[in-house]
Amino acid sequence: MLLQCPDCRVPFVFEEETFGGLTQEQLRLIAGQIFGSWKFWAVLIVLVGSASWAVVTVADRVIDARAKQYLNTLEQNATNHIGAAFGQISNQIALEFRQPRIRNTIEQVARNRAGDILTNGVRPTLEAFQDALDSATSALQRSSNAIAKLEADALAAQRRIPPPAPVVPVTAPIAVVQTNVVAPPVVTTSQSPATPTAPPTVKLALANRTITQAGQHYILTLFFRATFVNGATSGMVDVAAGTYNQTAKILNFASMTSSPSEAASINAEADVARLRFGVSDRETPTLVIEFSGPTIVRLVSDSLDTDLTIPIAADKMPIAPVAK
C-alpha cells in the first residue's frame, strides 16, 4: 500500500500489507448507520415489491399456460374416451335390438302406444268435432226457424200497413137541359171502378250493403242496381221493412237519392216501416235504415227481384231457444 508521512508528507511503501480491512466495531457502526437510514428501507421495500410483483406475474402466466395445456389435454382425452364409449354402446344397442325378443317387445310397445294415442288424442277430437257439428246443426235449425218466423212476422206486418187511399177522379158536373122529353132514369154509383194496379217499371237488385254502429244504434245502408222495363227511365218503388219479433225499433227509413220520395210511415210498435221513393237512371238507388239495437230485418217489395233478410249484429241479439 502507498502511504504518506503525516509530518513531512513523504510517501513510502510498506513491504508487507498492514491494512487488514474493517474491524468488527467499524462494521457494526456502518451497519447501524445503513439500517437506521429510511432511504435504505424505502429502496429495499421498492425492490422487494417489484420483485414480488414480477414473481407473481410470471407465476400466474406460467400457471395459466400450464392449466390451459392440461385442460386441453384432458378435454381431448375425455372426448376420445367418450367417442369410443359411445361407439361401443351404439354397437351394443344395435346388436341388442337385432334380437327377436327385443324387437317383438318394441313392436308391442309401439302398438300399445299408437292405441293410446288414438284413444286419448284422436277420439276426444272426433267427439268434440261431433259435438260441434251437432251444435252447429242445432243452431242452423234454430236460425232456420227464426228466419221462417221472421218472414211470417214481416208478411203479417206488411198486411197491417194501411194501403194508400185510392185516388177518385173528380168529373165536372154535367148540365141537364130541361126538355119535354122524359129521360130514362140514370143510375149513378158512389165511386168509379178501381183500376188494376200497373206492374212496376223498376226492378232493384241488391249490389252491396254496409252496417255501421253509431253508439247503441245500427245503421244499414243498401245499394241497389236498377233495371227499367217498358222503356222507362224512372219510376216509383214501394218497400216495406220489418224487424224480427220486435227485437229492435226502426228509428229512421229514408232514401239517399235526389229523386222525389215520400216520408216513411212507421207503425206504432216501430217494428214495421214503409217507404215510397223515386228511382231514375241517373243515380244509384240507396236506402238507409236506422235501428235501435241488434235485430234481423226483412225487406219486401214488388220491385225487388227477391225478398231480403239481413242480420244486424245478430250475434248480439238474444234469441230464445226453440223447443225440440
Side-chain angles (χ1 to χ4, degrees):
M1 296 294 294
L2 180 62
L3 302 178
Q4 185 177 11
C5 178
D7 296 332
C8 60
R9 305 292 181 179
V10 176
F12 58 90
V13 177
F14 285 99
E15 295 294 335
E16 294 180 1
E17 183 180 357
T18 60
F19 183 75
L22 298 176
T23 63
Q24 293 293 329
E25 185 65 23
Q26 291 175 342
L27 292 176
R28 282 195 299 270
L29 291 175
I30 294 173
Q33 187 68 23
I34 293 175
F35 291 150
S37 176
W38 65 271
K39 296 180 179 180
F40 170 76
W41 292 108
V43 173
L44 181 62
I45 290 173
V46 171
L47 293 176
V48 172
S50 300
S52 300
W53 177 79
V55 171
V56 171
T57 303
V58 173
D60 187 22
R61 292 182 178 179
V62 171
I63 292 172
D64 191 13
R66 292 289 181 87
K68 288 183 179 179
Q69 183 179 3
Y70 175 75
L71 291 177
N72 292 333
T73 304
L74 181 62
E75 182 180 2
Q76 185 64 33
N77 295 333
T79 303
N80 296 335
H81 289 304
I82 291 174
F86 180 77
Q88 294 179 359
I89 293 174
S90 301
N91 296 333
Q92 185 66 27
I93 292 175
L95 293 176
E96 292 291 337
F97 277 141
R98 291 176 183 176
Q99 297 182 6
R101 177 177 56 83
I102 296 179
R103 183 180 300 175
N104 296 333
T105 303
I106 293 175
E107 291 178 356
Q108 183 63 33
V109 171
R111 284 193 295 268
N112 296 336
R113 183 60 178 170
D116 294 339
I117 292 175
L118 180 62
T119 302
N120 300 328
V122 178
R123 184 171 298 173
T125 304
L126 293 177
E127 293 177 355
F129 176 75
Q130 184 65 33
D131 295 339
L133 184 60
D134 294 340
S135 300
T137 304
S138 178
L140 179 61
Q141 183 65 28
R142 291 196 300 269
S143 300
S144 301
N145 296 336
I147 292 174
K149 190 175 185 303
L150 175 62
E151 293 179 355
D153 293 343
L155 292 176
Q158 185 180 8
R159 295 190 188 98
R160 291 200 300 269
I161 298 177
V167 179
V168 180
V170 180
T171 58
I174 301 174
V176 180
V177 180
Q178 298 292 337
T179 59
N180 294 329
V181 180
V182 178
V186 179
V187 180
T188 60
T189 59
S190 61
Q191 62 181 6
S192 61
T195 58
T197 304
T201 59
V202 181
K203 284 294 184 180
L204 299 180
L206 183 63
N208 194 8
R209 67 185 184 190
T210 60
I211 300 174
T212 57
Q213 185 174 2
Q216 296 181 354
H217 297 170
Y218 293 87
I219 299 176
L220 172 64
T221 306
L222 302 173
F223 303 92
F224 294 95
R225 290 190 301 269
T227 303
F228 299 92
V229 297
N230 299 329
T233 59
S234 63
M236 298 297 293
V237 176
D238 194 354
V239 178
T243 59
Y244 168 72
N245 201 18
Q246 296 182 348
T247 52
K249 294 182 179 181
I250 299 177
L251 303 178
N252 191 13
F253 189 16
S255 172
M256 300 300 293
T257 57
S258 60
S259 300
S261 62
E262 301 176 359
S265 59
I266 303 176
N267 65 346
E269 292 80 7
D271 62 339
V272 177
R274 188 172 186 176
L275 177 65
R276 181 177 172 83
F277 63 98
V279 177
S280 65
D281 58 353
R282 296 185 301 273
E283 53 190 351
T284 301
T286 305
L287 296 180
V288 175
I289 311 176
E290 183 178 2
F291 303 93
S292 61
T295 185
I296 300 176
V297 63
R298 184 168 180 84
L299 290 89
V300 294
S301 175
D302 293 338
S303 299
L304 294 176
D305 55 354
T306 180
D307 295 339
L308 302 177
T309 302
I310 302 174
I312 310 297
D315 55 336
K316 301 179 181 179
M317 182 181 64
I319 299 179
V322 180
K324 295 182 180 181

